[in-house]
Amino acid sequence: MGWVQTGAEPHIGIMPYQGLEPKYFQVSWLAEHVLGVGIRRSPVNAFDTATWTEMHAIFSRIRVDGDVRAVVLYGEGRCFTAGLDLHDPTIMDVIQSGGDPARRSMAIRELIERFQNAISSIEQCERPVIGVSHSYTIGLGVDILSAVDVRYASKDARFSIREARIGLAADIGTLQRFPKVVGNESWARELALTARDFGADEARAMGFLSQVFATHEEAMLKAVETAKHIASLSPVAVVGTKLAMVHARDHSVDEGLRYMQYLNGAFLQTEDLVQSISATMSKTKPTFAKL
């Protein structure tokens, strides 16, 4: 099993993931314990309500699948995603729904909450998610990448926190996660307030990307390689590490240390610890039970 390229466009040519039949995503095993989730809503992977609802269902399923140890999230076709589908009738139907302003406000809030939960499901799935972007990653694409654990991109990648340009403030995670991801409040505010595009090299220099590759294929191959390495480690240790780092982002050091006392009070009892120490001593490859 592995990621392959057919012709000019990258494709996943391996075993489909059983139990899901998504319309707008390609969900396939890329390697042992490594799942690929590819956005495939032609022509530019724009998200309507059905698409982000489907994404939420996918990551909620991954969260409880003990065979999955790492995920690679990518876009098929022309780009990672062009962002929100402005032709989605659901949004305008809610905004223009009947009733007084208070009731319309409540309906809009409920829709935003559902959308936020879909993006947050990537962060909450407890399996490390590696995001791979190419060409355009617009608007909610930045929301999505801000919720993953590791970000790679091809050199042609272009990003934009585009919401201000279409008359709204980003409301599904970028304004909350992106400044903490990059650690540069001034740069984050510049991008959000101007809605300008920025390229892969700038994104890497400012801390948004781990690595930039010449092509989408190279970025995908590296993502699968990294995911395979993560999948070879103790799944209990990997889940604990992700949980701890997500918690630490929004809490003080003292709160994070207290959280680890309780987390590892449970997780240190795993057989994975014995397996890892034994394998290190004997210079063999450990075998771990599924989650």
Side-chain angles (χ1 to χ4, degrees):
M1 294 188 292
W3 184 81
V4 298
Q5 183 174 3
T6 304
E9 292 294 331
H11 297 279
I12 301 299
I14 49 96
M15 187 182 301
Y17 182 68
Q18 300 299 319
L20 285 175
E21 296 182 0
K23 182 177 180 180
Y24 299 119
F25 292 84
Q26 172 72 41
V27 184
S28 302
W29 293 105
L30 308 185
E32 187 176 11
H33 301 301
V34 175
L35 196 66
V37 178
I39 310 166
R40 60 169 183 182
R41 187 169 185 259
S42 182
V44 291
N45 295 332
F47 275 66
D48 64 358
T49 303
T51 308
W52 55 257
T53 299
E54 191 170 274
M55 185 179 74
H56 192 179
I58 290 169
F59 279 94
S60 296
R61 170 64 183 273
I62 291 170
R63 185 180 186 182
V64 296
D65 188 335
D67 288 321
V68 181
R69 298 185 186 177
V71 180
V72 176
L73 175 62
Y74 62 97
E76 290 193 350
R78 290 164 53 182
C79 61
F80 183 76
T81 174
L84 184 66
D85 184 349
L86 299 179
H87 299 291
D88 181 6
T90 302
I91 297 173
M92 293 310 300
D93 286 349
V94 171
I95 293 175
Q96 297 174 355
S97 62
D100 62 31
R103 287 171 172 78
R104 286 198 301 272
S105 176
M106 292 173 68
I108 294 169
R109 184 208 61 78
E110 190 274 338
L111 180 65
I112 293 172
E113 182 180 32
R114 286 172 50 210
F115 206 163
Q116 289 174 343
N117 290 340
I119 302 298
S120 294
S121 69
I122 299 170
E123 185 174 83
Q124 294 167 353
C125 83
E126 298 180 358
R127 308 303 191 265
V129 180
I130 302 172
V132 182
S133 58
H134 73 289
S135 187
Y136 277 96
T137 299
I138 304 299
L140 71 84
V142 179
D143 291 292
I144 290 171
L145 289 183
S146 295
V148 307
D149 299 286
V150 178
R151 287 165 289 275
Y152 295 154
S154 54
K155 195 171 182 61
D156 69 341
R158 301 287 296 175
F159 307 88
S160 177
I161 303 172
R162 187 66 62 88
E163 284 82 354
R165 198 182 300 185
I166 60 172
L168 57 90
D171 56 10
I172 53 175
T174 288
L175 301 185
Q176 291 70 41
R177 292 188 176 97
F178 184 83
K180 295 177 180 178
V181 166
V182 301
N184 187 323
E185 189 79 16
S186 177
W187 185 64
R189 292 191 185 204
E190 176 196 336
L191 296 176
L193 293 169
T194 65
R196 71 169 176 84
D197 290 2
F198 57 103
D201 289 338
E202 181 179 2
R204 185 185 184 192
M206 301 305 289
F208 188 54
L209 298 174
S210 296
Q211 297 186 56
V212 175
F213 300 86
T215 66
H216 184 205
E217 179 183 17
E218 290 181 17
M220 282 294 296
L221 290 171
K222 179 61 176 178
V224 173
E225 177 187 335
T226 301
K228 287 170 64 176
H229 178 72
I230 292 170
S232 73
L233 304 175
S234 159
V236 172
V238 168
V239 168
T241 298
K242 175 167 180 173
L243 289 173
M245 297 189 79
V246 170
H247 180 275
R249 182 194 62 200
D250 298 323
H251 295 80
S252 69
V253 172
D254 284 344
E255 289 171 326
L257 291 172
R258 177 59 62 89
Y259 178 79
M260 288 308 300
Q261 294 171 21
Y262 292 99
L263 180 70
N264 268 359
F267 279 23
L268 284 177
Q269 300 180 61
T270 177
E271 285 295 318
D272 288 11
L273 182 60
V274 177
Q275 291 284 345
S276 296
I277 294 173
S278 176
T280 299
M281 298 293 290
S282 62
K283 298 183 180 179
T284 58
K285 182 179 178 181
T287 300
F288 303 110
K290 73 176 186 178
L291 289 169

